[in-house]
Amino acid sequence: MSNDHDDFEPIDGEVNVQIPQSNTIDHLHPQTFNDFRIVEGNNNNNTGDTLSNVIVENWIFAPIAVTIQKMNVSKPIHVFNVAEKESKKQFLAEALIPFLFAGLGLILAGVMLESAEGSEFFQTLPDAVIMVPTLVGLKGNLEMTLSSRLSTLANLGFMESRKDKINVALSNMALIQCQAIAVSSLAVIPVLFIGEQISFSDSLCLLLSAVVTASLASLVLSLLMVAVVIAARRYKLNPDNISTPVAASLGDVSTLYILLSVGTLVCHMRDLHITLLIVILLFFYAIAIVGAVMAAEDRFTLEVLKNGWWPILCAMVITTFSGLVLKKSMQTYPPLAAFQPLINGLGGNLVAVQASRISTQLHRARKNREIEVKPLHHYINPIRAFFGKNEDASAAQILLGISIPSNIIFIFIIFLFGVGFHNTTPFTFSFVLVCAIQVTVLLYICQILVRAMWVMRIDPDNSAIPFLTALGDLIGSLLLILCFWSQWKYFGLPVSADQYTGHKFGH
């Protein structure tokens, strides 16, 4: 076995099974997938690891590979070979361009967030800024997990026929609508407790703005994710490397734009008749119920609908802290808002690519009846994570290699818009350094967390990315504050609030 695949060992030899073509997901033929039947813990083969820790049906949150085995379905034979070794050049080429587009989208989001301080919506409801990281974080909690889930289904061959693609698209988009509306409703709760003197009409405006924003943004991004994964399959590209950066390129800026537009409109509608806001809110909750019913009809999305809420809710709690940090930091260092989406978005984007790749490796190993995860202490060594001869280290090196020069380019682009102070060499170095630290920490946590979830019988496709992107938001925000504080304290950079009285972005 090659060192590039040192995490996977065959259990009892290679399995070469000819499997007939299947045209649907929920009604596939049962007879041939039994060749990949479950191996119980009392298997007598001496593999060095206990199989009971690897292939077990009693999952807390079953991944796609387990769901497929429970369904006893067949797999199309004419699929892209996901076990094929991916070269470093291929990975770099597939990840670089979407990553650059993602950076440009995040820069636009930063421009919009900084200028939004003077918008009518934030002036009317200033505490709404606390919701921004949670609503923007839905991209990581929902759209990125959607892209990872679709990538796994595509790589396992369950998005081959036209009917399969339509079924997968409809069930997953329905699921995303249900989750987005439910989670965005909860995003208002911290504002109600922390905000100052919020009336009933203010609360209703915040709630409706959050729900409509999440629903519309998720609709646009989920359509985009489906299209990207289908296109990647058509051109024999790995969707794991492409779909998450594409989600990041439009996720933040579209969410912010929709929030500002919808929030302003809702505030105007409140002055006309508040009952209309309640009717619209009930309409979107009806959409969530319909979405839940549609998602329950598909075996893959049913598992997520039943067990996929707690990672999103835990991530929401983390992003709420990020929202409090953002509000305080914008008051202390106003130009920080222009850089916050960039550092948080790029870090979450890169680690989402890595998490999606590792998750696909685990699904692939299970399908091939290989040892999926070695003992977790094997992954604690940071040398393995960044310098070992394995897929994780190779991908981490490329992702870090993309991050550092790209951030140098992005920071100069931000200053072209004007942030109220001139760029300096110490500031550029400090910003790139904190970005590199954030990405390094996230990539290290990723290789442990994804496999730990798999060992604990939790699907990493739907659970790891929300945690990682939420951690990326919090770590990025704290490191960015440290960056601005150090530049103000030791280099005299004029970024404090008293130097920005009346300043507007771009002036």
Side-chain angles (χ1 to χ4, degrees), residues 402-420:
I402 292 175
S403 171
I404 295 173
S406 297
N407 277 313
I408 296 176
I409 297 173
F410 292 147
I411 195 173
F412 281 105
I413 294 176
I414 290 177
F415 277 99
L416 292 178
F417 289 94
V419 292

Side-chain angles (χ1 to χ4, degrees), residues 151-213:
S151 297
T152 299
L153 280 171
N155 281 332
L156 292 177
F158 287 91
M159 291 183 66
E160 296 303 303
S161 70
R162 179 182 178 86
K163 186 176 181 180
D164 282 353
K165 294 171 184 175
I166 293 175
N167 289 342
V168 168
L170 290 179
S171 59
N172 278 277
M173 289 173 63
L175 173 66
I176 292 298
Q177 280 296 305
C178 175
Q179 290 180 318
I181 292 172
V183 175
S184 61
S185 300
L186 298 177
V188 181
I189 295 177
V191 183
L192 301 181
F193 283 102
I194 301 172
E196 301 175 358
Q197 298 180 347
I198 298 179
S199 64
F200 172 76
S201 61
D202 289 341
S203 303
L204 187 59
C205 286
L206 288 171
L207 178 59
L208 183 57
S209 299
V211 167
V212 176
T213 296

Side-chain angles (χ1 to χ4, degrees), residues 457-479:
R457 322 298 194 263
I458 298 172
D459 178 18
D461 258 339
N462 296 288
S463 305
I465 291 179
F467 277 107
L468 292 169
T469 54
L471 281 175
D473 286 349
L474 185 58
I475 295 172
S477 296
L478 295 174
L479 288 174

Side-chain angles (χ1 to χ4, degrees), residues 113-279:
L113 179 60
E114 215 276 353
S115 60
E117 293 180 69
S119 68
E120 180 179 353
F121 178 56
F122 282 152
Q123 286 183 342
T124 304
L125 299 170
D127 291 313
V129 72
I130 299 175
M131 299 191 308
V132 170
T134 301
L135 293 177
V136 171
L138 284 176
K139 175 197 66 184
N141 297 341
L142 300 181
E143 274 69 37
M144 285 189 176
T145 55
L146 170 64
S147 68
S148 180
R149 192 163 60 245
L150 292 178
S151 297
T152 299
L153 280 171
N155 281 332
L156 292 177
F158 287 91
M159 291 183 66
E160 296 303 303
S161 70
R162 179 182 178 86
K163 186 176 181 180
D164 282 353
K165 294 171 184 175
I166 293 175
N167 289 342
V168 168
L170 290 179
S171 59
N172 278 277
M173 289 173 63
L175 173 66
I176 292 298
Q177 280 296 305
C178 175
Q179 290 180 318
I181 292 172
V183 175
S184 61
S185 300
L186 298 177
V188 181
I189 295 177
V191 183
L192 301 181
F193 283 102
I194 301 172
E196 301 175 358
Q197 298 180 347
I198 298 179
S199 64
F200 172 76
S201 61
D202 289 341
S203 303
L204 187 59
C205 286
L206 288 171
L207 178 59
L208 183 57
S209 299
V211 167
V212 176
T213 296
S215 178
L216 295 180
S218 294
L219 176 62
V220 173
L221 292 174
S222 57
L223 280 171
L224 181 63
M225 288 300 94
V226 171
V228 167
V229 171
I230 291 175
R233 292 282 303 149
R234 180 177 180 181
Y235 294 103
K236 304 300 181 182
L237 302 174
N238 187 352
D240 280 329
N241 302 333
I242 300 172
S243 55
T244 48
V246 171
S249 64
L250 294 176
D252 287 11
V253 66
S254 61
T255 301
L256 282 173
Y257 179 79
I258 294 173
L259 175 62
L260 294 175
S261 302
V262 171
T264 302
L265 179 61
V266 168
C267 288
H268 286 300
M269 291 173 63
R270 174 182 60 175
D271 299 332
L272 297 176
H273 210 299
I274 196 170
T275 306
L276 181 60
L277 302 185
I278 299 176
V279 173

Side-chain angles (χ1 to χ4, degrees), residues 409-471:
I409 297 173
F410 292 147
I411 195 173
F412 281 105
I413 294 176
I414 290 177
F415 277 99
L416 292 178
F417 289 94
V419 292
F421 69 96
H422 295 291
N423 191 17
T424 63
T425 300
F427 180 80
T428 299
F429 177 80
S430 177
F431 180 79
V432 173
L433 178 62
V434 297
C435 288
I437 293 173
Q438 178 213 32
V439 173
T440 301
V441 172
L442 290 176
L443 290 174
Y444 175 70
I445 294 174
C446 175
Q447 68 152 358
I448 301 174
L449 179 64
V450 172
R451 292 183 173 90
M453 285 184 168
W454 188 271
V455 169
M456 292 187 294
R457 322 298 194 263
I458 298 172
D459 178 18
D461 258 339
N462 296 288
S463 305
I465 291 179
F467 277 107
L468 292 169
T469 54
L471 281 175

